[in-house]
Amino acid sequence: DVKVTQSSRYLVKRTGEKVFLECVQDMDHENMFWYRQDPGLGLRLIYFSYDVKMKEKGDIPEGYSVSREKKERFSLILESASTNQTSMYLCASGQGAPYNSPLHFGNGTRLTVT
Amino acid sequence: AQTVTQSQPEMSVQEAETVTLSCTYDTSESDYYLFWYKQPPSRQMILVIRQEAYKQQNATENRFSVNFQKAAKSFSLKISDSQLGDAAMYFCAYRSRDDKIIFGKGTRLHILP
């Protein structure tokens, strides 16, 4: 079974802190994604990566950056956390091809910024 | 840019009955892929069913089937013989050929015993 592991289930940070959310997958997937999930807003794509060191902005990249130095690891960075970044963050991975390959999700990280 | 719209924030269905969840999308692409995902209360998202846009035949997976209307850009999910374990958030998703995958806002499905 594919395993996508997010380093923290719950995280509490202070405004202005630099925050790292880590995600590791064990199935050699080319693609990795970071979404945030908020009630009534569904999943919104922050960034995705289709290869090592490659990244693409999603629909809401402002305030975030990402790093993919190794194929199995995709990190989401909040340069200076703000209260409006309090959310559930979901990492997912998937094959580049075939295109009907499903995403595999981690359990999520509930981030609270105070 | 592509968008995915789920117009039903919440729905309820009696156990053993059939329910249909709606999804529409907007795209200028002709080649894309559509998915329905389920997020049970335990939180981990799992795939329910998928559809390739180039296939006219509607996908089915046991009690789950889709009604894919490409011209109308509609991709609804039908759940037959609803079970208590079907209670979850359901998300419709669109994948374009550039690997971007976007989701709708979701529909929370309640199963009434």
Side-chain angles (χ1 to χ4, degrees):
Chain A
D1 267 0
V2 176
K3 191 153 183 164
V4 179
T5 303
Q6 294 185 232
S7 53
S8 304
R9 192 85 171 215
Y10 299 95
L11 214 51
V12 180
K13 296 292 181 180
R14 293 199 180 274
T15 301
E17 277 193 78
K18 191 168 185 175
V19 181
F20 293 85
L21 302 184
E22 306 286 347
C23 177
V24 177
Q25 51 97 359
D26 66 357
M27 279 300 291
D28 203 37
H29 285 163
E30 294 84 0
N31 298 342
M32 296 188 75
F33 302 79
W34 275 107
Y35 294 90
R36 64 177 282 176
Q37 183 176 9
D38 300 288
L41 297 178
L43 273 71
R44 292 181 290 167
L45 180 62
I46 305 171
Y47 270 97
F48 69 101
S49 169
Y50 54 89
D51 202 352
V52 175
K53 296 190 187 296
M54 305 304 289
K55 62 185 179 185
E56 292 285 342
K57 290 181 180 179
D59 296 323
I60 53 163
E62 298 79 17
Y64 303 94
S65 62
V66 290
S67 172
R68 193 163 180 206
E69 296 297 317
K70 293 185 178 181
K71 192 173 186 179
E72 67 270 19
R73 186 179 297 270
F74 192 37
S75 304
L76 180 69
I77 304 153
L78 286 65
E79 296 290 342
S80 177
S82 64
T83 55
N84 63 12
Q85 292 178 310
T86 292
S87 187
M88 172 68 76
Y89 290 87
L90 293 177
C91 175
S93 73
Q95 292 176 286
Y99 286 94
N100 66 352
S101 300
L103 287 181
H104 299 268
F105 284 83
N107 283 325
T109 296
R110 169 79 63 188
L111 173 67
T112 302
V113 182
T114 62
Chain B
Q2 298 87 11
T3 58
V4 176
T5 302
Q6 294 179 248
S7 58
Q8 306 147 316
E10 275 191 84
M11 294 189 72
S12 296
V13 63
Q14 211 74 34
E15 198 176 359
E17 297 294 308
T18 295
V19 64
T20 298
L21 280 56
S22 300
C23 173
T24 58
Y25 56 94
D26 190 25
T27 184
S28 57
E29 298 175 331
S30 58
D31 189 17
Y32 50 87
Y33 301 79
L34 298 165
F35 304 82
W36 278 98
Y37 285 88
K38 169 185 177 181
Q39 188 181 43
S42 63
R43 206 162 59 183
Q44 191 159 41
M45 197 91 72
I46 55 174
L47 177 72
V48 175
I49 197 165
R50 54 190 149 183
Q51 175 82 41
E52 295 84 352
Y54 62 83
K55 286 188 178 178
Q56 292 192 345
Q57 187 172 5
N58 289 326
T60 62
E61 288 284 345
N62 301 313
R63 298 182 295 108
F64 299 87
S65 61
V66 299
N67 183 6
F68 174 49
Q69 303 287 331
K70 191 172 184 179
K73 296 179 183 174
S74 171
F75 182 60
S76 60
L77 174 69
K78 185 171 87 171
I79 306 174
S80 304
D81 185 26
S82 297
Q83 300 175 0
L84 294 177
D86 294 334
M89 282 290 289
Y90 287 82
F91 292 95
C92 179
Y94 173 103
R95 178 177 181 172
S96 55
R97 290 298 295 261
D98 64 0
D99 289 332
K100 186 177 181 180
I101 302 175
I102 59 172
F103 287 76
K105 293 184 178 181
T107 297
R108 183 172 298 281
L109 179 64
H110 303 277
I111 311 295
L112 307 174

